[in-house]
mmCIF file of all heavy atoms in Angstrom:
data_model
loop_
_atom_site.group_PDB
_atom_site.id
_atom_site.type_symbol
_atom_site.label_atom_id
_atom_site.label_comp_id
_atom_site.label_asym_id
_atom_site.label_seq_id
_atom_site.Cartn_x
_atom_site.Cartn_y
_atom_site.Cartn_z
ATOM 1 N N LYS T 487 64.715 98.913 154.753
ATOM 2 C CA LYS T 487 65.471 97.649 155.047
ATOM 3 C C LYS T 487 65.703 97.542 156.617
ATOM 4 O O LYS T 487 65.465 96.508 157.117
ATOM 5 C CB LYS T 487 66.754 97.730 154.320
ATOM 6 C CG LYS T 487 67.687 96.520 154.596
ATOM 7 C CD LYS T 487 68.892 96.601 153.649
ATOM 8 C CE LYS T 487 69.876 95.479 153.916
ATOM 9 N NZ LYS T 487 70.527 95.683 155.217
ATOM 10 N N SER T 488 66.191 98.616 157.228
ATOM 11 C CA SER T 488 66.432 98.515 158.691
ATOM 12 C C SER T 488 65.254 98.424 159.472
ATOM 13 O O SER T 488 65.247 97.789 160.429
ATOM 14 C CB SER T 488 67.354 99.785 159.122
ATOM 15 O OG SER T 488 66.589 100.992 158.745
ATOM 16 N N TYR T 489 64.170 99.052 159.021
ATOM 17 C CA TYR T 489 62.874 98.972 159.697
ATOM 18 C C TYR T 489 62.329 97.577 159.765
ATOM 19 O O TYR T 489 62.118 97.033 160.839
ATOM 20 C CB TYR T 489 61.864 99.870 159.016
ATOM 21 C CG TYR T 489 60.461 99.381 159.242
ATOM 22 C CD1 TYR T 489 59.739 99.648 160.340
ATOM 23 C CD2 TYR T 489 59.782 98.610 158.179
ATOM 24 C CE1 TYR T 489 58.378 99.054 160.538
ATOM 25 C CE2 TYR T 489 58.475 98.085 158.314
ATOM 26 C CZ TYR T 489 57.811 98.353 159.462
ATOM 27 O OH TYR T 489 56.582 97.874 159.675
ATOM 28 N N ARG T 490 62.443 96.820 158.613
ATOM 29 C CA ARG T 490 61.945 95.475 158.567
ATOM 30 C C ARG T 490 62.818 94.568 159.473
ATOM 31 O O ARG T 490 62.284 93.688 160.108
ATOM 32 C CB ARG T 490 61.876 94.935 157.083
ATOM 33 C CG ARG T 490 60.857 95.598 156.288
ATOM 34 C CD ARG T 490 60.702 95.225 154.877
ATOM 35 N NE ARG T 490 59.894 95.968 153.998
ATOM 36 C CZ ARG T 490 58.522 95.876 154.079
ATOM 37 N NH1 ARG T 490 58.002 94.957 154.791
ATOM 38 N NH2 ARG T 490 57.793 96.693 153.185
ATOM 39 N N GLU T 491 64.141 94.671 159.325
ATOM 40 C CA GLU T 491 64.999 93.834 160.038
ATOM 41 C C GLU T 491 64.772 94.032 161.562
ATOM 42 O O GLU T 491 64.797 93.089 162.382
ATOM 43 C CB GLU T 491 66.462 94.152 159.751
ATOM 44 C CG GLU T 491 66.905 93.732 158.307
ATOM 45 C CD GLU T 491 68.347 94.113 157.931
ATOM 46 O OE1 GLU T 491 68.812 95.020 158.717
ATOM 47 O OE2 GLU T 491 68.808 93.674 156.875
ATOM 48 N N SER T 492 64.625 95.244 162.009
ATOM 49 C CA SER T 492 64.380 95.542 163.463
ATOM 50 C C SER T 492 63.070 95.019 163.918
ATOM 51 O O SER T 492 63.026 94.398 164.887
ATOM 52 C CB SER T 492 64.448 97.095 163.622
ATOM 53 O OG SER T 492 65.778 97.619 163.152
ATOM 54 N N VAL T 493 62.026 95.327 163.187
ATOM 55 C CA VAL T 493 60.691 94.907 163.587
ATOM 56 C C VAL T 493 60.517 93.318 163.613
ATOM 57 O O VAL T 493 60.069 92.814 164.574
ATOM 58 C CB VAL T 493 59.552 95.481 162.710
ATOM 59 C CG1 VAL T 493 58.287 94.912 163.059
ATOM 60 C CG2 VAL T 493 59.557 97.025 162.919
ATOM 61 N N VAL T 494 61.105 92.711 162.603
ATOM 62 C CA VAL T 494 61.108 91.204 162.626
ATOM 63 C C VAL T 494 61.757 90.686 163.860
ATOM 64 O O VAL T 494 61.272 89.747 164.572
ATOM 65 C CB VAL T 494 61.799 90.657 161.345
ATOM 66 C CG1 VAL T 494 62.050 89.144 161.543
ATOM 67 C CG2 VAL T 494 60.911 90.897 160.110
ATOM 68 N N LEU T 495 62.914 91.211 164.231
ATOM 69 C CA LEU T 495 63.662 90.760 165.449
ATOM 70 C C LEU T 495 62.825 91.011 166.690
ATOM 71 O O LEU T 495 62.675 90.209 167.521
ATOM 72 C CB LEU T 495 64.903 91.323 165.572
ATOM 73 C CG LEU T 495 65.896 90.838 166.604
ATOM 74 C CD1 LEU T 495 67.365 90.828 166.201
ATOM 75 C CD2 LEU T 495 65.819 91.615 167.831
ATOM 76 N N MET T 496 62.192 92.209 166.764
ATOM 77 C CA MET T 496 61.404 92.589 167.898
ATOM 78 C C MET T 496 60.176 91.655 168.096
ATOM 79 O O MET T 496 59.904 91.127 169.236
ATOM 80 C CB MET T 496 61.014 94.074 167.833
ATOM 81 C CG MET T 496 62.200 94.967 167.922
ATOM 82 S SD MET T 496 61.650 96.729 167.482
ATOM 83 C CE MET T 496 60.523 97.009 168.789
ATOM 84 N N THR T 497 59.492 91.456 167.032
ATOM 85 C CA THR T 497 58.262 90.548 167.181
ATOM 86 C C THR T 497 58.659 89.130 167.503
ATOM 87 O O THR T 497 57.918 88.519 168.313
ATOM 88 C CB THR T 497 57.449 90.665 165.794
ATOM 89 O OG1 THR T 497 58.355 90.320 164.744
ATOM 90 C CG2 THR T 497 56.918 92.106 165.711
ATOM 91 N N ARG T 498 59.696 88.605 166.881
ATOM 92 C CA ARG T 498 60.110 87.278 167.207
ATOM 93 C C ARG T 498 60.564 87.223 168.634
ATOM 94 O O ARG T 498 60.255 86.223 169.342
ATOM 95 C CB ARG T 498 61.286 86.870 166.213
ATOM 96 C CG ARG T 498 61.655 85.462 166.397
ATOM 97 C CD ARG T 498 62.660 84.925 165.317
ATOM 98 N NE ARG T 498 63.825 85.685 165.380
ATOM 99 C CZ ARG T 498 64.344 86.487 164.454
ATOM 100 N NH1 ARG T 498 63.578 86.736 163.293
ATOM 101 N NH2 ARG T 498 65.421 87.041 164.524
ATOM 102 N N SER T 499 61.295 88.129 169.133
ATOM 103 C CA SER T 499 61.747 88.102 170.508
ATOM 104 C C SER T 499 60.642 88.088 171.497
ATOM 105 O O SER T 499 60.622 87.427 172.459
ATOM 106 C CB SER T 499 62.665 89.335 170.772
ATOM 107 O OG SER T 499 63.839 89.296 169.912
ATOM 108 N N TYR T 500 59.616 88.865 171.182
ATOM 109 C CA TYR T 500 58.499 88.974 172.083
ATOM 110 C C TYR T 500 57.673 87.722 172.117
ATOM 111 O O TYR T 500 57.293 87.233 173.134
ATOM 112 C CB TYR T 500 57.503 90.087 171.678
ATOM 113 C CG TYR T 500 56.418 90.378 172.746
ATOM 114 C CD1 TYR T 500 56.767 91.313 173.632
ATOM 115 C CD2 TYR T 500 55.266 89.730 172.748
ATOM 116 C CE1 TYR T 500 55.745 91.558 174.754
ATOM 117 C CE2 TYR T 500 54.246 90.080 173.725
ATOM 118 C CZ TYR T 500 54.521 90.926 174.672
ATOM 119 O OH TYR T 500 53.716 91.151 175.671
ATOM 120 N N LEU T 501 57.487 87.085 170.892
ATOM 121 C CA LEU T 501 56.751 85.831 170.923
ATOM 122 C C LEU T 501 57.532 84.728 171.673
ATOM 123 O O LEU T 501 56.882 83.888 172.329
ATOM 124 C CB LEU T 501 56.586 85.366 169.440
ATOM 125 C CG LEU T 501 55.520 84.158 169.257
ATOM 126 C CD1 LEU T 501 54.212 84.445 169.838
ATOM 127 C CD2 LEU T 501 55.345 83.996 167.732
#
Side-chain angles (χ1 to χ4, degrees):
K487 178 176 178 290
S488 56
Y489 152 78
R490 294 184 187 279
E491 292 174 347
S492 300
V493 172
V494 166
L495 187 144
M496 292 168 65
T497 53
R498 185 172 64 243
S499 298
Y500 191 88
L501 188 57

